[in-house]
């Protein structure tokens, strides 16, 4: 995912960065908005890839839960490129039963 014109302090120093509530709260307001833009797209694409009806990754969940996101991204003069990410933490997990129902 290429985010032209979007930079976030902390992305690019290392290819993999850790984002949690504390890291998000330390961002400047401009970086927070840029990170929100990245996570909105990331969350939507992740939800689609998993066959979910709605995104489950966004800046609000990272800021208000114990979840952590390991973001694989690089930075270039024109913006940020996100190659992938892994979100970990306490979550309710669901499986779909044979009849299509969700079960926790």
């Amino acid at each position: 995912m290429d985010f032209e014109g979007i930079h976030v302090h902390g992305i690019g120093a290392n290819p993999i960065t850790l984002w949690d509530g504390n890291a998000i709260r330390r961002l400047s307001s401009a970086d927070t908005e840029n990170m929100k833009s990245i996570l909105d797209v990331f969350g939507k694409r992740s939800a689609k890839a998993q066959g979910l009806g709605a995104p489950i990754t966004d800046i609000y969940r990272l800021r208000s839960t114990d979840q952590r996101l390991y973001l694989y991204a690089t930075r270039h003069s024109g913006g940020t490129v996100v190659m992938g990410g892994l979100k970990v933490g306490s979550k309710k997990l669901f499986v779909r039963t044979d009849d299509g129902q969700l079960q926790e």
Side-chain angles (χ1 to χ4, degrees):
M1 292 169 270
D2 196 357
F3 296 91
E4 287 296 322
I6 293 181
H7 295 282
V8 175
H9 180 76
I11 292 180
N14 294 303
I16 298 174
T17 52
L18 171 61
W19 296 95
D20 61 8
N22 290 328
I24 298 289
R25 284 187 286 277
R26 285 192 301 265
L27 292 173
S28 70
S29 59
D31 280 343
T32 298
E33 284 303 310
N34 287 340
M35 180 60 93
K36 180 183 178 310
S37 296
I38 290 171
L39 292 178
D40 284 350
V41 172
F42 179 84
K44 287 175 186 172
R45 290 192 182 178
S46 176
K48 183 177 180 182
Q50 295 177 70
L52 303 174
I56 58 171
T57 301
D58 59 40
I59 198 166
Y60 307 107
R61 285 182 178 92
L62 285 176
R63 200 169 25 204
S64 63
T65 67
D66 69 342
Q67 295 177 3
R68 298 167 312 281
L69 175 66
Y70 293 89
L71 196 63
Y72 179 35
T74 60
R75 185 176 177 166
H76 57 83
S77 61
T80 301
V81 177
V82 175
M83 277 82 63
L86 175 66
K87 189 171 73 168
V88 297
S90 301
K91 308 175 208 176
K92 290 184 178 184
L93 298 178
F94 298 88
V95 295
R96 201 167 289 279
T97 62
D98 291 337
D99 63 357
Q101 299 297 314
L102 285 177
Q103 180 179 351
E104 185 175 344

